[in-house]
Amino acid sequence: MLPGEDGTARRVLPVCLAAGATTLLDQAVLTIAVPSMRQSLGASGADVQWIVAGYSLAFGLALVPGGSLGDLHGRKHLFLAGMAVFLLAGVTAATGAGPGTVIGARLVQGAAAGLVNAQVIGTLQDVFHGLARGRALGLYALTGGVATALGPPLGGVLVAGLGPGTGWRCCLLLSAPCAALTLTLAARRLPPPRRAARTARLDVLGLALLCALTLTLMVPFIRTPHGGGAALAWAAGACALAALFPLQQRTRVRRGRRPLVHPALTSSKPYLLGTAVAMAQFGSSLAAFLVLTVFLQDGLGLSALVTSAVTLPGAVGMGLSSALAWRLVRRIGPRTVAVGLTLGIGAALAAAAVALRAPTAALLVALAGTQLVSGVAGGLTVSPNQAQVLQHAPPQAAGVGGGILQMAQRIAAAVCLSAAPAVYLHAASGPPGTGDPRAGYALASCLCAGLLAVALVLSLLRRTATPPGPAGVPAAPAPRSTEPA
């Protein structure tokens, strides 16, 4: 039964779930189609990198601005505008004749997806309360996780069935009917916009600083700067912005104005630690899947369809465990996240052992088994952790709190999607005659296990930092706004 205190809440939930599934499926389904897309477009390696990673970059940049605008001016119109742009940009990318068109369309589509998802989290925070809010946020995380896990198998089927030239375009068009349906439902079911107090004004300077900081953190991992001087300049810029942004936020609070990031978020250790857990888990899971895909297709020479068959048990396992996760939460509480992370560490280490030891005839079956366990671990981790994190976001900063959580995950994804394949390629390529794809995959899997171990430690620290109470949320009043309208 869907959570919700009234019929309005239950009508809103399917819209939010559909939006999350649509925007995350669009990114995941393209992963396996990248080789055929590159060949069809005649794209360079840098072009493909921007097509794939540019979506995440724009997604991450739009989350906090979208959340802040939704908190101040209402969410429905922003949701509708974002979903409409997402739909049009997706069609443009799917029909693009050259790499430049596809890159531009994917950047716009990613920004629109970020705007939509910021409104989704804020809307769920607005219309659900208490235990129902936790269940609704958990269902949202589950839907996005399952969509992400199902994307590659669907992409593999499309490329195998329609051919490489048409398959990757259909992968990009797959989200179009879902977006159109979501747009129609949202226009009918989302509640009318609710604005903040008239004295509240958008923190434009804080917004600009945060966007610049996000860019300096993500871009070097999407496209490595050439030369030591460029790398030092990026690092210096990131450090300067990381110091300047919190200073600007504190100054704004002292002047009695509403900051971009609510003080209750930055002062809440459970929120910060939970966000760090989400970063490590999200980055590890995406990196592990990318390395597995490269290992199977480039290292072993398998087809996209066979690769999708190996990864499919992960989606099945995540769906099943997510459906049961809340029963476990009611029994053992926040420890559910630790159980999921422990299983994930075991699955990653098992994948490394399988890659090194399993005979060729049994390798694919064994890897599919590790994917099943990994999916179960993700289902026990993602939904409960996100619900726990967002419990610490005050109502007046619901959109920004969710935006920061997802933006942090995107930054982690950019870092991990750069680091893990680099580890794999270093061992898999090596000097002539010494490269070993199996050893490369094992090393990358151990790296992912290490990230999950960090997440496990942070999760245990969060338990000690969470104050007692039914929701574990400290009462934090909104900052008084004296800024003139």
Side-chain angles (χ1 to χ4, degrees):
M1 182 177 177
L2 294 178
E5 298 87 345
D6 53 40
T8 300
R10 295 191 184 98
R11 288 194 298 271
V12 166
L13 182 58
V15 179
C16 295
L17 300 184
T22 299
T23 53
L24 294 174
L25 175 66
D26 181 80
Q27 183 179 20
V29 76
L30 190 61
T31 305
I32 284 184
V34 166
S36 60
M37 178 182 63
R38 180 176 182 176
Q39 182 179 4
S40 175
L41 290 174
S44 66
D47 291 334
V48 172
Q49 200 169 17
W50 275 105
I51 291 172
V52 176
Y55 184 94
S56 286
L57 174 63
F59 194 116
L61 283 174
L63 284 166
V64 174
S68 184
L69 288 170
D71 290 338
L72 289 174
H73 303 294
R75 311 190 194 283
K76 182 174 182 176
H77 298 322
L78 291 171
F79 183 104
L80 295 175
M83 188 56 69
V85 172
F86 176 88
L87 174 59
L88 294 175
V91 173
T92 302
T95 56
T101 302
V102 179
I103 291 171
R106 291 293 286 173
L107 287 171
V108 173
Q109 193 177 25
L115 178 63
V116 168
N117 278 271
Q119 311 318 313
V120 167
I121 292 183
T123 299
L124 293 176
Q125 297 273 73
D126 289 342
V127 301
F128 291 95
H129 306 281
L131 180 61
R133 175 185 289 178
R135 290 181 60 199
L137 291 170
L139 285 172
Y140 167 72
L142 160 64
T143 304
V146 172
T148 300
L150 283 176
L154 288 175
V157 170
L158 288 174
V159 171
L162 300 174
T166 304
W168 72 267
R169 295 185 184 274
C170 289
C171 286
L172 288 176
L173 279 176
L174 188 62
S175 64
C178 302
L181 177 61
T182 303
L183 190 61
T184 303
L185 291 175
R188 296 177 179 177
R189 295 188 174 188
L190 287 185
R194 291 190 298 178
R195 296 173 179 267
R198 291 185 178 182
T199 54
R201 298 276 295 276
L202 181 64
D203 181 6
V204 177
L205 178 58
L207 184 58
L209 289 173
L210 186 62
C211 288
L213 176 60
T214 306
L215 277 172
T216 57
L217 289 174
M218 292 182 70
V219 168
F221 293 98
I222 295 175
R223 188 172 185 179
T224 305
H226 297 290
L232 287 176
W234 277 105
C239 292
L241 289 168
L244 187 58
F245 176 69
L247 177 63
Q248 184 268 343
Q249 293 290 283
R250 288 194 295 268
T251 301
R252 192 170 176 89
V253 171
R254 284 198 300 268
R255 293 177 178 177
R257 297 179 178 180
R258 180 186 179 121
L260 180 68
V261 179
H262 195 283
L265 298 178
T266 55
S267 63
S268 171
K269 288 184 179 180
Y271 177 85
L272 297 176
L273 289 171
T275 300
V277 170
M279 290 177 69
Q281 191 278 332
F282 188 75
S284 174
S285 62
L286 289 187
F289 178 81
L290 178 60
V291 171
L292 176 61
T293 301
V294 175
F295 170 58
L296 293 177
Q297 293 193 68
D298 293 346
L300 302 183
L302 301 176
S303 67
L305 186 60
V306 174
T307 300
S308 65
V310 174
T311 61
L312 181 60
V316 175
M318 185 168 190
L320 293 175
S321 65
S322 296
L324 300 174
W326 293 103
R327 296 184 181 181
L328 190 59
V329 168
R330 285 195 293 267
R331 288 178 177 270
I332 65 174
R335 286 176 292 177
T336 304
V337 176
V339 171
L341 291 171
T342 303
L343 275 178
I345 294 170
L349 293 177
V354 163
L356 292 175
R357 301 293 183 184
T360 303
L363 179 62
L364 297 186
V365 175
L367 285 175
T370 64
Q371 286 294 292
L372 177 63
V373 178
S374 180
V376 171
L380 295 177
T381 304
V382 175
S383 300
N385 182 67
Q386 178 164 295
Q388 290 174 35
V389 173
L390 293 179
Q391 282 178 342
H392 298 272
Q396 61 270 31
V400 171
I404 291 174
L405 172 62
Q406 290 202 30
M407 183 190 71
Q409 291 177 309
R410 296 290 157 179
I411 293 173
V415 175
C416 295
L417 288 174
S418 174
V423 170
Y424 166 79
L425 292 173
H426 178 74
S429 302
T434 64
D436 185 357
R438 287 193 177 216
Y441 178 68
L443 282 175
S445 295
C446 289
L447 174 63
C448 294
L451 288 173
L452 291 177
V454 171
L456 178 60
V457 172
L458 294 172
S459 176
L460 297 175
L461 289 174
R462 178 180 57 183
R463 286 181 55 198
T464 64
T466 302
V473 186
R480 182 176 57 89
S481 175
T482 59
E483 186 177 357

